[in-house]
Amino acid sequence: MNLSFYKYQGTGNDFILVDNREGAYSGLTEAVIKNMCDRRFGIGADGFMLLNEKEGYDFEMVYFNADGREGSMCGNGGRCIVQFAHDRGIKKSTYHFIATDGPHDATIEDGEIALKMKDVDGIREYKTDAILNTGSPHYVQLEPDVMQLDVFKEGRKIRYSRDFSDEGINVNFVQVKEPDTLIVRTYERGVENETYSCGTGVTAAALVFHHNENGFNAVNIETLGGKLTVRYRREPDGSFNSIWLKGPAVQVFEGSISTETL
């Protein structure tokens, strides 16, 4: 079978996207998706997504990690699939779609995608670090000089530690550059390596390192792949809502590939 695909990236977090509104690609196997994401023997990507029809929504986002397994929510992937939907003819002022963690809204503002993330009930302390779920589970650790850190080594150590090895966890290392500016590097489960950016990861970091105890926060995030912003409200009980992740989402190229070669 020949598969038509589109390659997108959001601050260096890259994805293979497929228009599956007619259901032609619903039967893709874990092995085929994994091989498509392979950077030497396939197209190469951090993840793979299907754009599906879904009654009551503009579309459904189905996300797979680079290992070929269906994954949890991906923030940069969500931003990229909104741009993809727009490019494929789904024109909306506000998008309303469904993903594995529930409904999401999104808008295209000044050439960037703003994606509404799920509400977060709170942050759990773990030793001197933090754990929270922003659509995917995240571990957040403060680092004084994050650019000098071996993220693969240190992230893998936490991800495969006794408490997290079974289900896995994404590991974020965060340097506070200014009260409202963070540098974030992330080791992602499913990719099992550092990615250039992680949308749910930078969201987690922004919530942990809020600069206003209550009310509106706006946090600038620097990643290896570019800059993102996270806006949200922090409530007196420690919960978070009205969480918006904003940044670029760009088509890189399109093509076709025979699944028989994968």
Side-chain angles (χ1 to χ4, degrees):
M1 176 178 67
N2 282 329
L3 180 147
S4 296
F5 70 88
Y6 300 79
K7 180 77 176 285
Y8 279 70
Q9 61 88 12
T11 52
N13 205 188
D14 59 343
F15 309 97
I16 301 162
L17 289 107
V18 170
D19 188 341
N20 192 47
R21 285 178 287 175
E22 296 182 359
Y25 306 121
S26 297
L28 292 174
T29 65
E30 181 180 311
V32 165
I33 294 172
K34 179 181 180 180
N35 290 337
M36 274 195 287
C37 292
D38 190 288
R39 296 192 182 278
R40 294 188 180 274
F41 299 103
I43 300 162
D46 292 328
F48 174 89
M49 283 182 279
L50 296 173
L51 176 77
N52 287 348
E53 288 275 11
K54 188 71 171 182
E55 186 176 352
Y57 297 91
D58 295 322
F59 60 88
E60 178 187 32
M61 168 186 171
V62 182
Y63 180 77
F64 298 84
N65 289 318
D67 61 8
R69 299 175 183 175
E70 190 168 349
S72 50
M73 182 56 186
C74 175
N76 286 330
R79 293 189 309 97
C80 283
I81 203 169
V82 169
Q83 184 65 56
F84 178 57
H86 177 272
D87 295 345
R88 299 300 294 162
I90 303 175
K91 308 288 188 180
K92 301 282 182 176
S93 57
T94 299
Y95 290 85
H96 186 57
F97 70 95
I98 186 80
T100 186
D101 65 337
H104 290 267
D105 292 333
T107 61
I108 301 177
E109 305 172 4
D110 304 320
E112 295 190 329
I113 309 298
L115 173 67
K116 192 171 191 291
M117 308 295 283
K118 64 171 283 188
D119 293 346
V120 174
D121 292 336
I123 299 169
R124 178 164 68 92
E125 291 184 2
Y126 180 89
K127 299 179 181 177
T128 59
D129 302 322
I131 295 174
L132 65 162
N133 192 305
T134 54
S136 291
H138 282 276
Y139 188 106
V140 179
Q141 178 175 303
L142 180 66
E143 281 293 327
D145 190 357
V146 72
M147 297 310 294
Q148 298 302 313
L149 187 71
D150 187 335
V151 170
F152 176 79
K153 178 183 176 183
E154 298 303 321
R156 190 174 181 84
K157 187 186 301 181
I158 294 170
R159 184 259 186 265
Y160 283 103
S161 63
R162 183 179 61 185
D163 289 347
F164 307 115
S165 60
D166 289 344
E167 295 185 8
I169 197 164
N170 303 286
V171 184
N172 305 274
F173 301 98
V174 183
Q175 180 179 338
V176 179
K177 188 175 179 181
E178 301 287 345
D180 63 350
T181 303
L182 308 175
I183 305 172
V184 182
R185 296 178 66 186
T186 305
Y187 178 100
E188 284 199 52
R189 68 171 185 175
V191 179
E192 304 307 334
N193 207 338
E194 180 179 11
T195 54
Y196 270 48
S197 175
C198 174
T200 54
V202 301
T203 301
L207 300 187
V208 170
F209 293 98
H210 53 272
H211 54 87
N212 290 326
E213 279 295 321
N214 295 311
F216 179 75
N217 279 259
V219 182
N220 301 308
I221 310 287
E222 298 177 8
T223 72
L224 293 181
K227 296 181 179 180
L228 295 159
T229 59
V230 181
R231 310 189 305 268
Y232 60 89
R233 284 193 59 84
R234 186 178 191 274
E235 301 299 337
D237 65 359
S239 64
F240 303 87
N241 57 59
S242 300
I243 305 167
W244 288 85
L245 169 69
K246 184 180 179 183
V250 180
Q251 181 179 328
V252 183
F253 62 86
E254 62 183 271
S256 64
I257 191 168
S258 172
T259 57
E260 295 176 4
T261 65
L262 297 168

